[in-house]
Amino acid sequence: SQYTMDLLATLERLDVDATFFVVGAYVKKYPVYLRAIYEQGHGIANHSYSHDAVNLSSSFKNCLNDFKRCEEAVAEALGFELAMPILRVPYGASTIPVGFRTDLQKNGYLWIDWNALNGDTEKDINSDQAVLGRAFSTAKRYDGSIVMLVHDGKKRTIRTMEEMVKHFREQGYEFRVLDTNIEKIPGVRMGLPK
């Protein structure tokens, strides 16, 4: 989004590695930001091309094509193909049929959902303190890893990032790029629901 560079600057200053689940349509709009994400060593993963839950759930062909289109947009922006085996289904994997999730895995993809969020897209979370409160309270539900859902298109995410990072570091959390071994970390939901 228009705030991606601000988030990248904050993450760099805090020495935080992250994974950006990118929407292909926005990659097309902001290719320079995608290149900056890559050049700073952050992970890039697939969040679909359209972010359209209706299209993604209408047929497996549409679902697979939408994720493939995102990969194409990333390759065009970077100038080379990037392996993107990890994806996040818009609004969570439960928005597509279970069979689609199985078929995505058969096509070489692993999907991941979040286990904590800051609520930055929720209408009733309307202040920086509410964002922080939501992040801290949802993370307390798990003993183990945290996969935090935040959106760089929200200024309050940028404003609260430093305090979130400080809090989670004090709790013993690490920040690193997701990879295909992430499912070995306790608490991460990846692949099919257990």
Side-chain angles (χ1 to χ4, degrees), residues 13 15 46 58 60 68 83-84 94 104-105 107 121 123 138 143 165 168 191:
R13 183 171 46 76
D15 193 28
N46 198 325
S58 64
F60 181 69
K68 296 256 183 225
M84 296 175 66
S94 63
L104 284 167
Q105 285 187 278
N107 279 272
T121 62
K123 290 183 177 144
T138 59
D143 180 23
V165 168
F168 287 119

Side-chain angles (χ1 to χ4, degrees), residues 69-191:
R69 263 184 92 191
C70 180
E71 290 176 358
E72 292 165 4
V74 167
E76 184 179 323
L78 292 177
F80 58 89
E81 288 186 20
L82 182 70
M84 296 175 66
I86 300 174
L87 58 85
R88 177 173 282 158
V89 178
Y91 311 105
S94 63
T95 62
I96 62 173
V98 172
F100 288 14
R101 292 177 246 163
T102 303
D103 291 340
L104 284 167
Q105 285 187 278
K106 288 177 183 173
N107 279 272
Y109 294 102
L110 292 171
W111 59 265
I112 188 166
D113 277 341
W114 56 94
N115 62 14
L117 70 161
N118 69 357
D120 59 8
T121 62
E122 297 173 25
K123 290 183 177 144
D124 60 331
I125 307 290
N126 53 18
S127 71
D128 290 359
Q129 282 311 112
V131 165
L132 292 167
R134 181 69 175 229
F136 302 158
S137 68
T138 59
K140 284 182 182 176
R141 295 182 299 192
Y142 297 94
D143 180 23
S145 69
I146 180 170
V147 179
M148 178 62 72
L149 174 68
V150 299
H151 298 85
D152 66 349
K154 304 293 180 182
K155 275 197 155 218
R156 57 186 165 194
T157 296
I158 315 305
R159 288 192 308 261
T160 58
M161 186 58 61
E162 185 166 356
E163 194 166 339
M164 267 194 286
V165 168
K166 180 181 176 200
H167 171 83
F168 287 119
R169 279 193 171 137
E170 287 172 354
Q171 301 298 311
Y173 288 102
E174 297 176 12
F175 295 89
R176 60 186 199 192
V177 173
L178 295 174
D179 64 34
T180 54
N181 291 318
I182 198 73
E183 62 187 338
K184 294 182 175 106
I185 297 174
V188 174
R189 248 183 93 201
M190 192 169 203

Side-chain angles (χ1 to χ4, degrees), residues 37-56:
I37 291 167
Y38 179 80
E39 288 165 3
Q40 287 190 19
H42 297 291
I44 297 172
N46 198 325
H47 195 41
S48 81
Y49 183 85
S50 66
H51 206 275
D52 181 347
V54 173
N55 178 54
L56 289 164

